[in-house]
Amino acid sequence: MVREKVTVSTRTLEWKCVESRVDSRRLYYGRFILSPLMKGQADTIGIAMRRALFAEIEGTCITRAKFEKIPHEYSTIVGIEESIHEILMNLKEIVLRSNLYGICNASISVKGPGCVTAQDIILPPSVEIVDNTQHIANLTEPINLRIQLEIERNRGYHIKTPNNFQDGSYPIDAVFMPVRNANYSIHSYGNGNEKQEILFLEIWTNGSLTPKEALHEASRNLIDLFIPFLHPEEENVHFENNQHKGTLTFFTFHHRLAKLRKTKTEIVLKSIFLDQFELPPRIYNCLKRSNIHTLLDLLNKSKEDLMKIEHFRIEDIKQILDIIKIEKAFLPRNQFEIHSI
């Protein structure tokens, strides 16, 4: 366990981890503070962050299991203590960590008698198990247990539906959320109109990432959702009705926004987000995880920079160039180095 004394800054907004501990392989805890905040700001941040911690962080789960010659989910197999339904529930409890994109396959092939646990799963290199001791089934006779598994990385809940059942293949309710619980509380101090607040944020995770990692990812994803509002297409919005016609000037969301408008070229490129192009999901996710969100971010990367991205290939660069039709008028000379391929 790590504890730190809470100190409050009265100058700049700061965050700090004041407590962290590992209760078990599948339960991590962290406690963070953010201060000083004006009255009401702690609620604004706490509500948004709690929502983002649950809904905007990706996790990895087993989403489907296929057995050989099993008529239905509640079947029993001679030589196995558990029913198929109980095995599926045990598979649901397995916690995975990965940098997976899309769906991949795994398998179990064990001969009894003996206990089958998570360590018996044959996984692809991009996936690892957080707790190898998770029980799956108990084989009481010398029989072969073979299960084909599908593993997916996603966010939120995926609930199985009747039309998802196939011959011998059963979907598993997937809870992709690495955050098991999140709470926030507020401490107020000061007098009258000068009252300030401290936000305390508690995070419990399933071990696939630490509370600090969860906080960083939730914050980054939450910011990504609001970035488009910082890049309006026009400086003015016109409203018109039957009686009135006027112009409303955009207000600035942050005083640093002015620094982003150094040149006309940068404004244009920063306003073009990669999700506006029909990039393949794998390529788009690779770029996003490397903090490449806009066309300007992409142009500032060389071919060598892109090739350092995990799971990125030279063919991906060529595909990007084919998809993104860049007007020469927008490009500073020699800026897009990956054209050299």
Side-chain angles (χ1 to χ4, degrees):
M1 181 185 296
V2 178
R3 290 182 179 269
E4 295 187 20
K5 184 178 179 181
V6 177
T7 57
V8 179
S9 169
T10 57
R11 297 180 180 178
T12 58
L13 196 63
E14 296 179 348
W15 76 275
K16 192 175 186 181
C17 178
V18 294
E19 183 179 354
S20 65
R21 65 174 185 262
V22 178
D23 293 331
S24 68
R25 292 183 184 180
R26 290 186 286 176
L27 184 59
Y28 287 29
Y29 171 81
R31 189 165 184 250
F32 308 87
I33 62 168
L34 180 67
S35 67
L37 296 165
M38 296 174 62
K39 185 177 180 181
Q41 288 182 335
D43 255 328
T44 301
I45 298 173
I47 293 171
M49 185 57 66
R50 189 173 187 272
R51 172 67 180 172
L53 284 166
F54 285 124
E56 299 299 329
I57 301 180
E58 292 184 343
T60 305
C61 291
I62 298 172
T63 56
R64 185 174 288 275
K66 183 174 183 179
F67 301 81
E68 296 180 355
K69 300 178 181 179
I70 301 299
H72 56 80
E73 181 180 353
Y74 296 97
S75 300
T76 58
I77 303 176
V78 176
I80 302 180
E81 285 188 0
E82 294 81 3
S83 67
I84 298 301
H85 176 74
E86 290 171 327
I87 293 176
L88 293 175
M89 292 301 98
N90 291 335
L91 290 172
K92 179 181 176 180
E93 294 298 319
I94 294 175
V95 178
L96 302 173
R97 181 190 296 116
S98 79
N99 53 8
L100 177 69
Y101 298 99
I103 298 175
C104 70
N105 296 320
S107 63
I108 298 174
S109 182
V110 180
K111 184 174 181 178
C115 183
V116 182
T117 63
Q119 68 179 353
D120 295 309
I121 301 177
I122 303 172
L123 294 168
S126 58
V127 183
E128 60 179 294
I129 296 173
V130 171
D131 184 5
N132 286 326
T133 64
Q134 169 63 40
H135 178 77
I136 297 176
N138 190 29
L139 308 184
T140 58
E141 296 183 13
I143 64 170
N144 292 320
L145 175 64
R146 293 187 178 91
I147 310 174
Q148 298 297 320
L149 304 173
E150 284 187 4
I151 296 175
E152 182 180 350
R153 182 178 175 89
N154 213 315
R155 63 185 182 90
Y157 292 101
H158 277 204
I159 306 301
K160 62 184 180 183
T161 56
N163 58 359
N164 282 336
F165 288 84
Q166 302 169 8
D167 183 25
S169 177
Y170 303 96
I172 299 174
D173 289 343
V175 182
F176 292 104
M177 300 183 299
V179 175
R180 298 180 62 174
N181 195 13
N183 292 323
Y184 76 92
S185 58
I186 301 169
H187 171 71
S188 300
Y189 63 97
N191 297 314
N193 294 332
E194 296 185 1
K195 209 166 193 179
Q196 293 183 313
E197 297 177 339
I198 305 173
L199 173 66
F200 289 84
L201 188 63
E202 294 181 288
I203 302 172
W204 291 262
T205 68
N206 65 1
S208 62
L209 76 173
T210 65
K212 185 176 180 180
E213 290 170 337
L215 182 63
H216 286 178
E217 186 170 344
S219 301
R220 183 172 60 247
N221 293 341
L222 194 58
I223 290 170
D224 287 346
L225 294 175
F226 289 98
I227 283 179
F229 294 111
L230 298 177
H231 302 279
E233 293 182 358
E234 298 177 353
E235 286 299 314
N236 297 316
V237 177
H238 300 277
F239 294 93
E240 185 176 351
N241 55 32
N242 294 333
Q243 297 179 346
H244 304 285
K245 182 184 292 185
T247 300
L248 177 64
T249 303
F250 269 109
F251 61 88
T252 341
F253 287 89
H254 198 280
H255 69 279
R256 293 182 182 175
L257 179 59
K259 296 181 181 179
L260 299 177
R261 298 172 175 170
K262 294 180 181 179
T263 65
K264 182 178 180 180
T265 300
E266 286 192 351
I267 294 175
V268 173
L269 298 180
K270 285 182 179 179
S271 301
I272 302 175
F273 289 82
L274 297 183
D275 55 9
Q276 296 174 246
F277 302 96
E278 295 183 358
L279 293 172
R282 187 183 61 79
I283 295 178
Y284 174 74
N285 288 330
C286 284
L287 296 174
K288 181 180 177 181
R289 291 184 183 283
S290 299
N291 291 321
I292 301 175
H293 303 285
T294 67
L295 190 54
L296 181 63
D297 295 336
L298 182 62
L299 296 179
N300 285 333
K301 299 292 183 181
S302 66
K303 178 180 68 175
E304 290 74 20
D305 293 333
L306 294 177
M307 291 306 299
K308 292 177 182 177
I309 299 175
E310 192 172 7
H311 303 298
F312 213 78
R313 304 169 299 189
I314 191 71
E315 293 81 5
D316 297 334
I317 299 177
K318 294 178 180 178
Q319 192 171 1
I320 290 173
L321 294 177
D322 290 337
I323 294 174
I324 303 178
K325 307 297 183 182
I326 304 174
E327 296 292 338
K328 292 182 179 180
F330 291 155
L331 293 177
R333 185 172 298 177
N334 298 329
Q335 187 174 5
F336 201 12
E337 297 181 29
I338 64 174
H339 271 298
S340 59
I341 67 171

